[in-house]
Amino acid sequence: MTEQDALFDYCLRIGDSSLIIGHRLSEWCGHGPILEEDIAIINVSLDLVGQARSVLDYAGKIEGKGRSEDDLAYLRDVAFYRNHLICEQPNGDYGRTIVRQFLFDSFHYLFLNELVNSKDDFFSGYAEKSLKEVIYHMQHSTKWMLRMGDGTEESHRRVQEPLNDLWRFTGEFFAVNEVDKILISNGIAVDLNKIKPKWKQYVREIIEDATLTLPTNDWEQLGGKEGRHTEHLGFILAEMQFLPRAYPDATW
Amino acid sequence: MANENWPLWEVFIRSRQGLNHKHVGSLRAADQEMAIENARDVYTRRSEGVSIWVVLSANVHASNPSDKGPMFDPAEDKVYRHPTFYDIPDEIGHM
Amino acid sequence: MTKAEEEFQAKIDRDIKIEPKDWMPDAYRKTLVRQISQHAHSEIVGMLPEGNWITRAPSLRRKVALLAKVQDEAGHGLYLYSAVETLGTDREQTIDDMHSGKAKYSSIFNYPTLSWADMGAVGWLVDGAAIVNQVALQRTSYGPYSRAMVKICKEESFHQRQGYELLIHMCNGTKEQKEMAQDALNRFWWPSLMMFGPSDTDSPNTAQSMAWRVKRYTNDDLRQQFVDITVPQAEFLGLTIPDPDLKMNEETGHYEFGEINWEEFFNVVNGNGPCNRERIAARSNAKKNGSWVIDAANAYAEKQRMKKKVA
Ligand SMILES: [Fe+2]
Ligand SMILES: [Fe+2]
């Protein structure tokens, strides 16, 4: 794998994760639990899709084959997507969405917080800009974890269950592959081992404050970063890519 | 507890530094942090603000419109509070 | 007329805005609650037909534009519910009335969105018609309603522009895209004209609403204004308005147009449109499925208050 290949792959990992989880959140539009929260979660979605656009655009430039952000988003199949598996998991009820978001946001924040120091100018600038948005995302999902965990019996149950379910996808945040190794050595990528303990500590604290129980099953479900996904991504793409695929001659 | 609405909050936004906070509307939120966050998302999506105040609507005490006379009329004839009350020669320019 | 009523009407006639704590006739209050909440419901139900295409938007630029647009409509709903609350009516109460069918919303949102071109047609025609209505309402006599309208109008222009731009693009695109655009216009044209409500002769509340300056123009006036603005825009797109009777009257300078199918209108208003059931179900499910979230936040806030007290 060349450095260029690695960089391209790394862009996709970041861009696809934001795109897919942003897409999932957009499914809430018009169906949120209350208007105020509908607007809030769509703001998060808009931030994430916006972030995805800029990284995918950069990915196209790195690749150098003239692919645009839309070519990358709309004309790649499942095996070529590099998002974390957690991002593609279904919304479920609002509790499940919040848990998924909380686990991702807290990682996302710590990740960008390190990416700021990247030797790649695009990444450092991108991280600095995105961080402002992501701090807010993390606050939002963290507060909801507390409210739901320490709210009613029903709400407690409705976040504890998805927490147990989704926990298996969190190991992937810190799984290092060939791409990381190449890019860490030249100061471009984030050393995931460095942020792992910080993430664990933060998540443990919030789970405790929320009177929830830390899941004990430590099995790590990996694969997203190498294009081996869960069954859900195929359906997201089938829906998302329908128009450009059905009308290949058209532009929109 | 069940089926209780979130309380209503009045939202005040300072649109830019140097201006007063201005009432922009209301929203529902369970606590004050949420009220501030919701106000940001609902009322400043186009960077309309640099500062937000939220006040529980129940805590807003308003003057009674039937007292409008005694409350506000006395200020009306105090024209000396207004700059146009004073004649300044044109040569001085804007003051 | 009582003295209070006379004073009230005199204020209205001098274009002095009525504010929440001012005395107002009960019927005025009722009219406002009905009209503003109906307007708010329309914003919220209006999120659904467009929300239908967010996950299928064909480019990322279109996706964020549509998402931001639909999110704005939620904001509009909120601004309006907030005006309703100043009249002493609880917003959740009016929402429940909508879910039970007692309160209405604009009938246009009961039509399905079947192709991507519909996102263009909705932005162009539906937001376009709404803008004509809302610009007029900026001068409505009730202060909070009027201020909500000012804020909404500022946000609306991007809505219509994103829709129209999308159609320009499609009309200059492939043959299939242009056909989609024409089909969208065919389906949305007449329902858009119906958005202004029944003809003046059939609109029992108009006279009183005009006298109170809750409404500033009649339904037919606004509809005419919309047609006059929109026909040239359709011509620019190279699309045909599905009305064989449409023609410019050189004398009046206004377009004459065909008869609206009022039977369809009243049927759709009263629950028989293609998507009425789905729209109401979607909104009442959102509320039902969200109620535990509301409870959780209340319970948590209460616990925090108790903790503070103890500390
Ligand atoms: Fe609107
Ligand atoms: Fe709109």
Side-chain angles (χ1 to χ4, degrees):
Chain A
M1 186 183 278
T2 67
E3 190 184 311
Q4 188 197 10
D5 291 342
L7 193 54
F8 177 62
D9 204 273
Y10 201 61
C11 287
L12 295 182
R13 186 195 296 176
I14 299 172
D16 291 347
S17 291
S18 291
L19 176 61
I20 296 301
I21 199 166
H23 178 96
R24 275 293 191 215
L25 290 180
S26 79
E27 294 171 7
W28 275 107
C29 187
H31 307 277
I34 186 168
L35 283 175
E36 284 84 346
E37 193 52 32
D38 203 306
I39 295 175
I41 206 69
I42 297 312
N43 262 357
V44 178
S45 171
L46 280 167
D47 286 345
L48 289 167
V49 177
Q51 291 170 17
R53 289 182 66 188
S54 86
V55 193
L56 290 180
D57 177 69
Y58 183 58
K61 292 191 178 112
I62 295 295
E63 189 193 33
K65 291 183 185 162
R67 286 205 279 181
S68 67
E69 58 178 61
D70 285 333
D71 293 335
L72 289 170
Y74 288 89
L75 300 174
R76 273 180 305 148
D77 208 339
V78 170
F80 299 91
Y81 261 76
R82 292 290 180 267
N83 60 282
H84 294 106
L85 297 176
I86 196 169
C87 300
E88 66 204 44
Q89 300 312 305
N91 285 340
D93 69 6
Y94 207 63
R96 183 168 287 262
T97 295
I98 286 295
V99 171
R100 185 188 64 203
Q101 205 58 34
F102 166 71
L103 296 171
F104 178 76
D105 290 342
S106 47
F107 161 74
H108 199 196
Y109 165 76
L110 291 167
F111 175 79
L112 292 172
N113 212 23
E114 288 296 321
L115 193 64
V116 170
N117 305 317
S118 173
K119 290 220 170 85
D120 181 295
D121 286 345
F122 170 81
F123 279 141
S124 58
Y126 165 81
E128 199 177 309
K129 183 168 175 290
S130 304
L131 206 49
K132 285 187 196 138
E133 299 171 338
V134 172
I135 287 173
Y136 191 82
H137 303 171
M138 187 170 75
Q139 279 174 10
H140 178 260
S141 56
T142 296
K143 279 181 190 154
W144 271 112
M145 282 297 283
L146 298 171
R147 291 188 189 108
M148 289 174 174
D150 195 14
T152 64
E153 242 172 74
E154 179 181 9
S155 68
H156 182 92
R157 175 175 58 75
R158 282 180 187 264
V159 280
Q160 184 67 60
E161 279 174 17
L163 185 61
N164 298 344
D165 271 2
L166 294 172
W167 192 249
R168 69 188 191 280
F169 296 116
T170 58
E172 192 184 18
F173 291 146
F174 311 104
V176 172
N177 68 12
E178 183 72 20
V179 172
D180 297 86
K181 283 180 194 149
I182 293 171
L183 298 178
I184 289 173
S185 69
N186 54 22
I188 290 179
V190 171
D191 183 353
L192 296 168
N193 281 316
K194 218 164 121 189
I195 57 176
K196 186 174 181 175
K198 293 185 194 168
W199 181 82
K200 287 234 151 156
Q201 192 195 336
Y202 179 74
V203 167
R204 195 181 306 126
E205 270 171 28
I206 299 302
I207 287 179
E208 222 164 83
D209 283 354
T211 72
L212 294 161
T213 312
L214 198 71
T216 46
N217 182 351
D218 277 332
W219 163 250
E220 294 180 355
Q221 183 59 54
L222 309 179
K225 290 177 184 179
E226 286 81 35
R228 290 189 312 280
H229 289 272
T230 62
E231 289 177 345
H232 304 294
L233 184 62
F235 290 96
I236 293 180
L237 297 187
E239 194 173 340
M240 184 170 99
Q241 299 179 338
F242 145 68
L243 277 168
R245 299 267 193 199
Y247 302 95
D249 301 332
T251 62
W252 306 91
Chain B
M1 179 56 61
N3 293 324
E4 214 177 279
N5 290 332
W6 289 345
L8 192 65
W9 302 73
E10 299 300 322
V11 181
F12 301 80
I13 306 268
R14 185 200 295 289
S15 55
R16 66 191 153 76
Q17 223 57 30
L19 295 183
N20 287 324
H21 284 78
K22 197 175 136 198
H23 183 243
V24 292
S26 63
L27 49 75
R28 300 234 166 221
D31 54 56
Q32 51 204 30
E33 283 175 331
M34 192 199 280
I36 296 259
E37 285 177 11
N38 288 349
R40 166 208 187 252
D41 291 331
V42 174
Y43 289 104
T44 69
R45 289 196 305 289
R46 289 175 172 76
S47 8
E48 292 97 332
V50 294
S51 158
I52 299 172
W53 287 350
V54 291
V55 181
L56 265 178
S57 306
N59 288 344
V60 174
H61 299 278
S63 61
N64 192 332
S66 61
D67 297 339
K68 194 166 169 275
M71 286 279 275
F72 304 113
D73 284 0
E76 248 167 46
D77 57 3
K78 303 199 173 43
V79 286
Y80 46 80
R81 287 202 178 109
H82 298 274
T84 45
F85 180 71
Y86 305 94
D87 284 329
I88 301 288
D90 288 347
E91 301 90 279
I92 304 296
H94 180 75
M95 181 179 273
Chain C
M1 239 191 240
T2 66
K3 183 147 182 296
E5 279 168 347
E6 262 167 36
E7 276 175 11
F8 175 81
Q9 190 60 49
K11 255 162 93 181
I12 299 262
D13 293 343
R14 278 183 292 145
D15 257 337
I16 295 176
K17 295 268 184 268
I18 307 301
E19 294 295 342
K21 293 198 85 191
D22 293 346
W23 184 88
M24 61 187 86
D26 275 349
Y28 176 81
R29 187 184 298 272
K30 264 194 203 136
T31 300
L32 281 174
V33 169
R34 198 193 62 229
Q35 184 173 328
I36 304 174
S37 59
Q38 199 166 308
H39 194 159
H41 302 331
S42 301
E43 301 281 355
I44 301 306
V45 177
M47 296 170 75
L48 298 170
E50 286 177 293
N52 186 30
W53 279 87
I54 288 170
T55 54
R56 291 179 287 171
S59 76
L60 295 180
R61 176 174 175 266
R62 295 284 177 214
K63 191 186 191 72
V64 288
L66 183 64
L67 191 52
K69 193 261 183 201
V70 179
Q71 183 199 39
D72 267 355
E73 306 300 3
H76 297 174
L78 255 175
Y79 307 158
L80 288 161
Y81 284 127
S82 142
V84 172
E85 305 231 38
T86 64
L87 291 158
T89 302
D90 183 274
R91 123 182 163 196
E92 295 305 318
Q93 181 57 51
T94 70
I95 290 176
D96 291 341
D97 286 348
M98 189 249 293
H99 294 167
S100 74
K102 207 173 122 197
K104 304 291 179 210
Y105 55 87
S106 182
S107 61
I108 188 102
F109 301 119
N110 291 316
Y111 291 87
T113 51
L114 302 175
S115 82
W116 176 250
D118 289 12
M119 295 305 98
V122 170
W124 170 38
L125 300 172
V126 179
D127 288 76
I131 289 170
V132 167
N133 195 23
Q134 289 165 345
V135 165
L137 282 170
Q138 289 182 98
R139 292 173 54 239
T140 189
S141 60
Y142 186 56
Y145 191 24
S146 148
R147 292 191 285 274
M149 280 300 119
V150 171
K151 199 163 163 50
I152 288 173
C153 284
K154 267 191 211 147
E155 301 187 355
E156 279 294 344
S157 67
F158 125 67
H159 296 182
Q160 195 183 18
R161 289 170 69 109
Q162 66 90 30
Y164 195 68
E165 185 210 69
L166 182 166
L167 282 178
I168 294 177
H169 203 91
M170 288 185 76
C171 289
N172 291 317
T174 64
K175 187 169 153 284
E176 284 159 317
Q177 283 177 302
K178 183 140 195 199
E179 282 166 4
M180 262 186 237
Q182 181 63 56
D183 177 55
L185 174 58
N186 293 349
R187 283 179 290 109
F188 278 96
W189 174 253
W190 289 106
S192 300
L193 295 194
M194 294 177 197
M195 279 177 74
F196 296 94
S199 176
D200 296 342
T201 46
D202 262 331
S203 180
N205 302 322
T206 295
Q208 182 61 76
S209 287
M210 297 279 288
W212 279 333
R213 302 199 180 173
V214 170
K215 269 187 167 180
R216 304 296 311 231
Y217 299 92
T218 69
N219 295 351
D220 286 335
D221 284 347
L222 293 170
R223 187 165 15 241
Q224 183 66 53
Q225 207 182 315
F226 174 72
V227 173
D228 289 343
I229 296 172
T230 310
V231 174
Q233 294 169 345
E235 279 164 7
F236 180 83
L237 292 172
L239 297 178
T240 311
I241 288 181
D243 178 359
D245 297 326
L246 185 81
K247 61 169 187 294
M248 174 49 102
N249 180 328
E250 297 296 346
E251 250 164 61
T252 61
H254 294 295
Y255 284 96
E256 290 172 357
F257 50 94
E259 186 62 34
I260 291 171
N261 183 347
W262 292 115
E263 197 199 325
E264 173 180 325
F265 172 76
F266 286 111
N267 262 289
V268 177
V269 167
N270 290 320
N272 278 335
C275 301
N276 297 49
R277 282 153 228 264
E278 287 83 352
R279 300 294 185 240
I280 292 282
R283 288 308 307 161
S284 58
N285 283 340
K287 182 165 176 172
K288 204 169 63 202
N289 298 335
S291 69
W292 69 269
V293 180
I294 310 301
D295 292 346
N298 275 334
Y300 179 76
E302 182 59 28
K303 285 183 194 173
Q304 294 303 106
R305 268 192 297 275
M306 296 306 282
K307 266 188 204 160
K308 258 191 204 153
K309 255 187 210 162
V310 175

